[in-house]
Amino acid sequence: MNQLLYVALGLIAGIFSGMFGIGGGIILVPALVYIFGLTQHAAQGTTLAIMVLPIGLLAAIRYWQTGNVNLAMAVFICAGFFIGGLIGANFEQAVSDTMLKKAFGAFLLLVSINMIFSK
């Protein structure tokens, strides 16, 4: 069952990535911490493992060496992210530049407020 949730998270991250051109970290790290209960270190390490080639390979290896990568989780999220990126990129083509900028800004604001004021 958790594997389906991981794929769903990857799908959502992929959609937002395709729509806004953002890295998965802005979605994946908070979701892994607040929804799945990972530590900040483990969330960052797992996110790097998802995007390992070519961007985060060395950093992901370092996180893995210290036990801060959930590799099984990363594989399933990656599967959803792969398809979600295409869905988001297709959806975003129909949105005006102004609307896309406003939606991106609102999304970043909501994430930052949540991170600032949560425990």
Side-chain angles (χ1 to χ4, degrees):
M1 181 59 182
N2 280 343
Q3 289 86 352
L4 290 177
L5 293 174
Y6 301 154
V7 171
L9 174 59
L11 187 63
I12 292 166
I15 289 169
F16 276 92
S17 179
M19 287 174 59
F20 299 125
I22 58 175
I26 191 79
I27 297 163
L28 294 174
V29 171
L32 292 174
V33 169
Y34 299 119
I35 296 171
F36 293 102
L38 271 62
T39 66
Q40 186 72 23
H41 286 92
Q44 290 176 193
T46 301
T47 299
L48 285 170
I50 293 164
M51 296 178 242
V52 73
L53 293 174
I55 301 165
L57 179 60
L58 296 178
I61 289 170
R62 180 67 187 121
Y63 274 94
W64 179 75
Q65 288 172 334
T66 60
N68 286 311
V69 172
N70 185 324
L71 197 54
M73 183 185 285
V75 168
F76 284 99
I77 294 171
C78 187
F81 201 117
F82 185 74
I83 300 301
L86 177 61
I87 293 168
N90 285 329
F91 176 77
E92 144 321 294
Q93 298 301 312
V95 178
S96 73
D97 189 59
T98 301
M99 188 59 169
L100 191 60
K101 285 179 185 174
K102 290 178 187 281
F104 181 69
F107 177 74
L108 291 177
L109 179 62
L110 289 173
V111 169
S112 64
I113 288 171
N114 186 351
M115 292 187 82
I116 291 167
F117 293 107
S118 67
K119 290 183 179 183

